[in-house]
């Protein structure tokens, strides 16, 4: 067993080469690639055939090549499973960021979370590529109503956000009809029916943990 399965470890162990991770998470779909990215890709693949020969020789020498081929076949037979959407995950994102959103902002955050997931699945992209978590939070707080407001709140937006800007704005508008956040929080708190749990705290902010526990708490309350 190798102490690490990374290419970086193999290059260091067998070739004495240290890997530069600068462009590991870069967007390799851009064209043309920069000279630095081309050099990185060339270096990243230059040693692969040599590594293959070294590993194959060692496996044959140790008599383990059959076990490795069997394990490889098992891995190749695994079917990809689409991860189902967990709508409550947007609350976890807010909690991890330490964000305090009023009810209207929280509704926009949820709407944009769902919008991002739908776009990512349709385009077969990572949700974070469509819209990063910090951008998601910033847009929920800004609640943009126009292209100009969207561009001001999300300076480095992805091409997908630019291309689907209108549908994003529609999601914001549907989640938060044009009115002041303070009015929305006050009206929601005042109109809540008796027996429900109110998660609106000071300054109209929502306690994310309370919001997550509302369905369970409501179920335990007497009719």
């Amino acid at each position: 067993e190798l102490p690490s399965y990374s290419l970086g470890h193999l290059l260091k162990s067998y070739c004495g080469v240290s890997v530069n991770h600068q462009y590991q998470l870069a967007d390799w779909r851009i064209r043309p690639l920069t000279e630095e990215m081309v050099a990185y890709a060339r270096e990243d693949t230059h040693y692969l055939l040599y590594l293959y020969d070294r590993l194959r020789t060692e496996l044959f020498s140790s008599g383990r090549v059959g076990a490795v081929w069997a394990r490889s076949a098992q891995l190749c037979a695994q079917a990809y499973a689409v991860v189902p959407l967990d709508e409550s995950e947007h609350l976890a994102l807010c909690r991890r960021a330490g964000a305090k959103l009023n009810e209207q902002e929280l509704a926009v955050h949820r709407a944009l979370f769902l919008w991002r997931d739908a776009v990512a699945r349709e385009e077969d992209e990572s949700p974070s590529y469509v819209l990063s978590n910090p951008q998601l939070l910033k847009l929920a707080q800004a609640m943009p109503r126009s292209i100009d407001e969207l561009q001001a709140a999300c300076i480095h937006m992805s091409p997908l956000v630019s291309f689907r800007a209108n549908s994003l704005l529609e999601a914001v508008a549907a989640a938060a009809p044009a009115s002041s956040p303070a009015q929305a929080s006050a009206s929601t708190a005042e109109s809540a029916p008796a027996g429900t749990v109110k998660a609106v705290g000071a300054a109209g902010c929502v306690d994310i943990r309370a919001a997550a526990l509302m369905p369970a708490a409501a179920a335990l309350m007497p009719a």
Side-chain angles (χ1 to χ4, degrees), residues 1-19 47 50-51 54-55 58:
E1 292 290 334
L2 295 171
S4 174
Y5 300 126
S6 69
L7 176 59
H9 172 75
L10 295 176
L11 289 173
K12 187 68 174 179
S13 300
Y14 290 95
C15 307
V17 175
S18 296
V19 177
Y47 301 94
Y50 173 76
L51 288 173
R54 285 288 304 272
L55 292 171
E58 290 185 8

Side-chain angles (χ1 to χ4, degrees), residues 92-111:
L93 294 181
C94 293
R95 187 164 56 247
R96 288 195 292 267
K100 289 186 177 180
L101 307 179
N102 63 44
E103 268 196 290
Q104 198 172 45
E105 292 169 343
L106 189 61
V108 173
H109 190 276
R110 179 181 182 277

Side-chain angles (χ1 to χ4, degrees), residues 9-61:
H9 172 75
L10 295 176
L11 289 173
K12 187 68 174 179
S13 300
Y14 290 95
C15 307
V17 175
S18 296
V19 177
N20 178 6
H21 297 289
Q22 180 180 0
Y23 295 100
Q24 190 173 38
L25 299 178
D27 184 359
W28 287 90
R29 295 166 299 184
I30 65 172
R31 292 296 183 271
L33 295 174
T34 65
E35 293 183 4
E36 292 80 6
M37 293 175 74
V38 171
Y40 175 90
R42 184 182 291 117
E43 181 178 316
D44 209 33
T45 57
H46 179 74
Y47 301 94
L48 292 182
L49 292 177
Y50 173 76
L51 288 173
Y52 169 78
D53 289 334
R54 285 288 304 272
L55 292 171
R56 183 180 61 174
T57 299
E58 290 185 8
L59 288 171
F60 272 112
S61 299

Side-chain angles (χ1 to χ4, degrees), residues 154-171:
C154 190
I155 299 175
H156 302 292
M157 68 176 70
S158 70
L160 288 175
V161 171
S162 299
F163 183 70
R164 296 172 177 261
N166 288 332
S167 66
L168 184 151
L169 294 173
E170 290 172 0

Side-chain angles (χ1 to χ4, degrees), residues 86-95 106-107 109-110 113:
D86 181 2
E87 295 188 15
S88 66
E89 177 63 20
H90 89 101
L91 293 174
L93 294 181
C94 293
R95 187 164 56 247
L106 189 61
H109 190 276
R110 179 181 182 277
F113 178 80

Side-chain angles (χ1 to χ4, degrees), residues 80-148:
Y80 171 73
V82 177
V83 179
L85 171 65
D86 181 2
E87 295 188 15
S88 66
E89 177 63 20
H90 89 101
L91 293 174
L93 294 181
C94 293
R95 187 164 56 247
R96 288 195 292 267
K100 289 186 177 180
L101 307 179
N102 63 44
E103 268 196 290
Q104 198 172 45
E105 292 169 343
L106 189 61
V108 173
H109 190 276
R110 179 181 182 277
L112 291 178
F113 178 80
L114 298 178
W115 177 89
R116 181 180 72 168
D117 181 83
V119 171
R121 291 176 189 274
E122 182 178 342
E123 298 288 344
D124 194 21
E125 291 286 0
S126 158
S128 60
Y129 170 74
V130 178
L131 197 64
S132 69
N133 291 338
Q135 287 176 326
L136 184 64
L137 180 59
K138 188 173 183 179
L139 289 178
Q141 294 170 321
M143 292 187 286
R145 306 292 179 173
S146 66
I147 298 295
D148 289 341

